[in-house]
Amino acid sequence: MKQWIDRLRQERTLRPEELRQLLTGCDAETLRYINKQAQEVALRHFGNKIYIRGLIEVSNCCRNNCYYCGIRKGNPNIERYRLNLESILDCCRQGYKLGFRTFVLQGGEDPALTDDRIEMTVARIRQNYPDCAITLSLGEKSRDAYERFFRAGANRYLLRHETYNESHYRQLHPAEMFWKHRMDCLWDLKEIGYQVGCGFMVGSPEQTVDTLYEDLQFIRKLQPHMVGIGPFIPQKDTPFGEKKAGTMEDTLRLLSIIRLLQPHVLLPSTTALGTIHPLGREKGIQAGANVVMPNLSPVAVREKYKLYDNKICTGDEAAECRHCMARRMESVGYKVVVNRGDYH
Ligand code: 5AD
Ligand code: FES
């Protein structure tokens, strides 16, 4: 298997059968090998620097009913909230002081967060923080809305494609959600000029080696600036509450494969990875990831933004998470840096 990994690193290609072997027949030693190759590639491009993004969870209200997601409309067991402009700006103020130069506004598809309101929020943050990147992660919007947010000063947009296989997409989402619309959004975002992030959950129900292969093909086609992947983790109040979680090993393998396929891509070591293993985020970095996204949301709402069960950091202040993250990265030889961390 090592010769395929070497070839993957050199030629950045992977045949379906090789992916199958890597994902199903890979022992601990091979995993260590691929992680090391990917870590070397990341070190070559980024040094031992880790980019940080301050995550602000602006609303847990959502009009959608994704089967996997804890903030789905059909979950009656969560208390809904929405941050107002002042509290979002407060988060940014705190975040800036802590050294964040990217703010990520993430939330459900909340009908009350109108295009006007989002546009105005972006404009205010842009005005206050001309030196910061603004990332949006607010789901599917019209092309016109994406253009307005961009003109108001947003630079990046995260919209996981979830799966490139259309029938798999239908197994993860109800009939009123469309794979094609998700794809159109991603291509629109790219055309408008955003730095775009796609991604998927590792080990989502009905995911197979073949659907994963399609995901990797899609990544090669879209050429996103960022790729967000983390393990699927069941949330008990969702239709997938009893499904199996994705594993850390599979996530680390895929992080490494993505790093080897796309050496320059921005690749977060996600909170979900930190949730299924206490050292998950550190291991993600050692498998080729180069970004972490500590939480900047007010502690009062943290507990309510639970896409999955047992999410970490829900009780910690922004400053605690920031410093905890710096220590964690130092423990594996890396340094968190104060800059926007743009794609080059
Ligand atoms: N487990 C892991 N990740 C999840 N997401 C949503 N629900 C879950 C879950 N149960 C991911 C989705 C979404 C992103 C914001 O969080 O991929 O795009
Ligand atoms: Fe949040 Fe460690 S990163 S407490």
Side-chain angles (χ1 to χ4, degrees):
M1 239 179 284
K2 288 192 176 157
Q3 65 271 25
W4 300 338
I5 298 172
D6 294 338
R7 198 175 62 91
L8 167 60
R9 178 171 175 177
Q10 269 141 31
E11 299 171 21
R12 301 188 211 154
T13 56
L14 189 65
R15 289 187 280 259
E17 204 34 51
E18 296 170 350
L19 179 69
R20 180 174 313 281
Q21 282 294 321
L22 276 178
L23 294 181
T24 58
C26 175
D27 55 13
E29 193 197 328
T30 318
L31 178 60
R32 268 197 303 278
Y33 186 74
I34 193 170
N35 289 164
K36 181 155 167 290
Q37 297 302 311
Q39 187 182 14
E40 273 177 33
V41 170
L43 280 167
R44 179 156 314 160
H45 292 293
F46 304 100
N48 70 337
K49 299 186 171 44
I50 299 294
Y51 298 141
I52 49 171
R53 324 297 196 194
L55 184 66
I56 307 172
E57 296 153 335
V58 296
S59 167
N60 71 350
C61 305
C62 192
R63 65 191 174 103
N64 292 328
N65 244 331
C66 307
Y67 299 142
Y68 46 83
C69 184
I71 66 169
R72 65 200 302 272
K73 177 176 60 187
N75 182 1
N77 299 330
I78 57 169
E79 199 185 318
R80 305 284 172 172
Y81 75 89
R82 174 179 310 117
L83 300 183
N84 60 27
L85 178 61
E86 271 321 306
S87 35
I88 295 174
L89 292 172
D90 263 347
C91 293
C92 295
R93 204 169 303 130
Q94 247 194 22
Y96 194 90
K97 275 194 275 181
L98 290 169
F100 289 100
R101 295 297 178 268
T102 293
F103 302 119
V104 182
L105 309 191
Q106 185 175 88
E109 289 187 13
D110 178 355
L113 283 185
T114 59
D115 297 347
D116 283 345
R117 184 163 162 179
I118 296 169
E119 183 182 27
M120 196 188 54
T121 306
V122 170
R124 282 292 298 277
I125 300 175
R126 175 50 62 232
Q127 187 182 21
N128 294 357
Y129 303 98
D131 57 331
C132 291
I134 302 174
T135 304
L136 300 179
S137 179
L138 300 169
E140 297 179 10
K141 307 279 169 189
S142 68
R143 178 168 179 131
D144 172 65
Y146 287 149
E147 283 171 351
R148 285 169 56 191
F149 307 157
F150 189 75
R151 280 197 301 271
N155 312 94
R156 310 183 186 141
Y157 207 102
L158 307 179
L159 181 65
R160 291 192 177 176
H161 64 287
E162 311 297 356
T163 172
Y164 193 61
N165 181 287
E166 191 169 356
S167 59
H168 186 213
Y169 193 89
R170 284 197 298 266
Q171 292 175 300
L172 300 179
H173 304 94
E176 57 289 1
M177 290 180 71
F178 296 101
W179 173 88
K180 172 76 166 52
H181 191 249
R182 180 66 56 109
M183 293 301 146
D184 289 345
C185 286
L186 282 163
W187 289 107
D188 281 346
L189 288 162
K190 193 133 196 246
E191 233 174 64
I192 292 166
Y194 284 96
Q195 292 181 35
V196 173
C198 66
F200 54 88
M201 297 177 288
V202 176
S204 64
E206 311 306 327
Q207 184 177 64
T208 63
V209 174
D210 298 299
T211 65
L212 284 169
Y213 192 77
E214 293 178 55
D215 290 323
L216 298 178
Q217 294 292 87
F218 173 61
I219 290 169
R220 306 184 64 150
K221 200 155 82 178
L222 180 68
Q223 292 286 314
H225 307 84
M226 303 163 270
V227 177
I229 69 165
F232 160 72
I233 303 172
Q235 202 290 333
K236 58 181 176 358
D237 302 311
T238 64
F240 287 171
E242 303 291 314
K243 302 278 184 189
K244 273 206 328 278
T247 68
M248 177 167 76
E249 286 72 21
D250 283 342
T251 308
L252 296 177
R253 254 189 283 278
L254 279 157
L255 281 170
S256 295
I257 292 170
I258 293 168
R259 169 62 66 213
L260 294 174
L261 284 171
Q262 303 286 323
H264 296 274
V265 83
L266 297 161
L267 195 58
S269 192
T270 55
T271 305
L273 187 54
T275 296
I276 57 166
H277 188 285
L279 297 177
R281 287 167 297 177
E282 290 86 333
K283 289 177 192 283
I285 297 299
Q286 293 173 301
N290 72 317
V291 174
V292 289
M293 300 172 69
N295 204 315
L296 269 186
S297 308
V299 174
V301 305
R302 294 265 183 117
E303 195 57 43
K304 302 175 189 159
Y305 197 84
K306 279 202 147 166
L307 309 183
Y308 45 81
D309 289 332
N310 307 315
K311 186 177 166 205
I312 52 171
C313 300
T314 54
D316 303 283
E317 291 287 348
E320 292 175 66
C321 275
R322 168 69 178 78
H323 296 124
C324 167
M325 197 60 90
R327 278 197 306 277
R328 285 174 179 274
M329 296 299 110
E330 278 161 25
S331 77
V332 285
Y334 287 79
K335 267 206 102 52
V336 158
V337 292
V338 179
N339 71 39
R340 287 174 40 132
D342 279 299
Y343 181 88
H344 291 294

